[in-house]
Amino acid sequence: FDTTLGSGAPPQGEWGMSALTVACASRLLRSAAGLRSPIEHARANPVARALGLSPSDGEAAFSSTSGHEGEGDGSSECARKRPGDDGLPIVYHPAYSKPVMPEGHRFPMPVFREIYRRLLRDGVAVPGKNLFQPARMPSLEELTAVHDEEYVNKFMMGAMSDDDLRRMGLPWTEDLVERTLSEVSGTMLCADLALTCGLAVNTAGGTHHAHRSHASGYCIFNDLAVTAKRVIARGAVERVLIVDLDVHQGDGTASTTAADPGIYTLSVHCEDNFPAKKSTSSRDVALPTGTEDDVYIKTTEAALRESIEEHGPQLVLYDAGVDVHGADDLGGFNLTDEGLIRREALVLDTCVGRGIPVAAVVGGGYDKDLEALARRHCILQ
């Protein structure tokens, strides 16, 4: 599979739901490289040089492990292949877990690698079949459609103030720059795959606290907002629904997309959790601390259906945060594993069942037991 970001027309013809998409919904019911025009000082920036973030003239394509990109051998079998034919398209990048956190840090950086390993072990992700990796990082134009250019430059060059770092909640390193860029690209790729075959999942993403000019709550560049604006700008769709079911309100996503009539934001979150100062989403549903499975599912179902009816989306970006689980360290709700299964089934059945492509990201989740946390995240796949 070969797709190019930022150039090329959207797929022609009417999108049709693949057998894989139906099967997935049915089952649930039970090194940074190739910035096209990144930072003006990129060539002079030692961090950019270390990461290989020098400007390039052309658009780099995303790559997969399937071996079907490039010229190929011209076989009819290769020509017939498309994402979804060999399993649910799954996006992963080794940089997702590359930064090393200080001992005792609350952000579970290694969990994305654990998700990947679990998917491999369970046979859900198969190298050479349904694994995809972004082959380029977002361009400056894509990032600044959402973020202030001065802020982008400050982060890329490690020129953030102590207050900036405190808000970000993560220690700045070159590896963090690579991870941040690859996470945005991973969600953009996930959206392209979803528009091709109906459903795709990124094994990271959901940086919904990132605002236009500052980081917040472990979120630096808002992958959901960047992706939504990009698919609209390139003419792939006109209307995007961002469904944020993380336990924390998607304040950054709401604030950075509020002026775009093509983007509708739904946030179902805990009313007494971070952030203290909430933004205004297109539809906010704030539930009390201790909310359990039945009330959560019933409320979410109504909000999702009403949002779809109001906006008529052609693509759903789904933040499937598992910090709604009762065992989560930073949660507030009391959902069970069964509740998570019911939630994922609800979202996919409602959206995919209506022929709306879904690009899902794993969102937030916090637990010292990484195996348990990865298992919760993998319910989505």
Side-chain angles (χ1 to χ4, degrees), residues 122-324:
D122 292 348
V124 178
V126 181
K129 295 293 185 180
N130 66 329
L131 278 172
F132 295 81
Q133 177 176 317
R136 76 161 178 90
M137 298 302 172
S139 68
L140 179 63
E141 290 84 357
E142 288 161 341
L143 292 175
T144 56
V146 172
H147 297 288
D148 178 74
E149 185 171 349
E150 181 181 358
Y151 164 58
V152 174
N153 280 323
K154 282 170 59 179
F155 172 71
M156 293 287 291
M157 295 185 294
M160 304 179 77
S161 67
D162 289 344
D163 186 57
D164 293 333
L165 293 172
R166 179 188 60 78
R167 271 182 158 179
M168 185 167 71
L170 299 169
W172 187 93
T173 63
E174 295 176 6
D175 288 344
L176 182 64
V177 174
E178 183 179 6
R179 180 196 186 275
T180 299
L181 294 173
S182 63
E183 187 171 39
V184 174
S185 281
T187 300
M188 292 195 294
L189 172 55
C190 187
D192 283 348
L193 290 165
L195 287 169
T196 299
C197 70
L199 178 63
V201 177
N202 186 13
T203 54
T207 49
H208 60 168
H209 298 310
H211 289 260
R212 176 164 179 79
S213 59
H214 69 269
S216 177
Y218 312 138
C219 302
I220 300 160
F221 296 150
N222 196 308
D223 63 315
L224 298 166
V226 170
T227 298
K229 286 181 177 287
R230 176 189 164 268
V231 294
I232 291 174
R234 66 190 285 258
V237 299
E238 295 179 350
R239 297 178 304 281
V240 176
L241 169 61
I242 299 176
V243 177
D244 192 333
L245 300 187
D246 192 282
V247 77
H248 308 103
Q249 193 217 27
D251 57 327
T253 307
S255 67
T256 55
T257 62
D260 194 325
I263 302 174
Y264 187 106
T265 52
L266 165 63
S267 180
V268 181
H269 53 268
C270 182
E271 62 183 352
D272 296 321
N273 208 323
F274 182 88
K277 182 179 180 181
K278 307 289 194 289
S279 297
T280 301
S281 307
S282 306
R283 184 183 299 268
D284 281 303
V285 180
L287 293 172
T289 300
T291 295
E292 298 184 342
D293 291 355
D294 289 343
V295 171
Y296 179 86
I297 295 299
K298 182 178 180 179
T299 304
T300 300
E301 179 179 16
L304 178 58
R305 292 186 185 280
E306 290 166 8
S307 298
I308 290 174
E309 290 168 4
E310 182 176 339
H311 191 57
Q314 298 158 306
L315 172 67
V316 167
L317 302 181
Y318 173 37
D319 184 340
V322 298
D323 42 14
V324 295

